[in-house]
Amino acid sequence: MCFFINTTFAASRDEVDARISEALKTFELEVPAGFSLSKKATGVLIFPNVVKAGFGIGGEYGEGALMIGGKIVNYFSVASASIGFQLGVQSRSQIILFMNAESLNAFRKSDGWKAGVDASVAVATLGSGGSIDSEVINRPIIGFIFSGKGLMYNLTFEGSKISKINK
């Protein structure tokens, strides 16, 4: 399933760059507290369009980039496969903030980083007034899932493998 998604949705460098720019604008509008927090991050990993589909067996795939100091330094893909209760198709954006040099360096030195195995990503949710939980803000790696289109059960980073790709 992931192989099919990978070869079907591979985008050019220019397409990925344009989608990243649009995702950042959407992030600023939809999650202003998260966007503000991203300005304090050591690195920002952006997957502007992650497609997840499932009917008992599921998979997801998306391409994005790591930004440091506002500039793209590497391109990455995110992929996962799953079995269990799932039905539907969803497209969403994911942003992972590396809040310190240690977490960013560990990610960059890894060969195929797995969320939930190599590091725990604190998934941010918005509270009243659009604020982010103070416990989450103090974590070294913070993830945001936004701009969901369609219906899909199970919003998580767990089990996702993130790999460097050439663009």
Side-chain angles (χ1 to χ4, degrees), residues 85-120:
F85 178 72
Q86 52 195 325
L87 177 64
V89 176
Q90 180 186 53
S91 174
R92 63 184 186 221
S93 298
Q94 298 178 354
I95 291 183
I96 299 174
L97 307 179
F98 296 94
M99 299 308 294
N100 59 42
E102 182 181 9
S103 62
L104 177 61
N105 291 337
F107 169 73
R108 293 185 81 191
K109 290 178 183 174
S110 69
D111 181 30
W113 191 73
K114 291 183 182 177
V117 175
D118 297 318
S120 182

Side-chain angles (χ1 to χ4, degrees), residues 139-153:
R139 299 288 297 273
I141 305 172
I142 305 168
F144 295 86
I145 300 172
F146 63 101
S147 263
K149 296 175 185 140
L151 299 173
M152 188 69 172
Y153 173 75

